Amino acid sequence: MTSKTIFENKGHDPRLASVEMVEDILKEHHEFASKSALQRALPKTMQTQTFNRILNYLEKSNKIIFTKDRAVVWIFSDDPKLKKVWKESVPL
């Protein structure tokens, strides 16, 4: 999969460190009332275009969702117990 399919907008691709920074904040807090609240919580400033592209990527990879009131919620689980249950489950 190339970066062109993940990041649809034209322009530069976000750095891995930037994507990880947003992911880490979301993992820690799980939910933010808005995109702007999340952006203000980041330890470093980031261009809005880059920030929006990262959120678009995280949504497409099923790591976050946006609620009806546009809150940002972390939904990705990397719990080892859950992975074990999933691995041992019988497909329907």
Side-chain angles (χ1 to χ4, degrees):
M1 181 179 290
T2 67
S3 63
K4 296 296 180 198
T5 58
I6 295 174
F7 301 109
E8 292 179 357
N9 301 336
K10 294 181 180 179
H12 72 282
D13 290 335
R15 293 175 168 251
L16 178 59
S18 299
V19 176
E20 289 177 339
M21 179 175 57
V22 174
E23 282 185 344
D24 290 343
I25 284 288
L26 280 163
K27 283 180 197 177
E28 183 179 332
H29 296 283
H30 300 289
E31 183 176 357
F32 286 90
S34 65
K35 291 190 324 184
S36 59
L38 170 59
Q39 193 169 18
R40 285 190 303 269
L42 295 174
K44 291 183 175 182
T45 58
M46 182 181 299
Q47 290 183 352
T48 303
Q49 178 186 11
T50 303
F51 179 70
N52 287 331
R53 291 183 70 183
I54 291 171
L55 292 182
N56 185 29
Y57 161 71
L58 293 174
E59 183 180 30
K60 286 184 178 199
S61 62
N62 295 320
K63 292 185 176 185
I64 64 169
I65 59 169
F66 294 100
T67 63
K68 285 191 277 186
D69 58 345
R70 302 306 294 161
V72 184
V73 181
W74 179 260
I75 60 169
F76 186 76
S77 176
D78 54 354
D79 183 11
K81 290 180 184 177
L82 182 62
K83 287 181 181 182
K84 181 181 177 188
V85 169
W86 180 260
K87 192 176 185 178
E88 294 173 354
S89 66
V90 178
L92 298 176

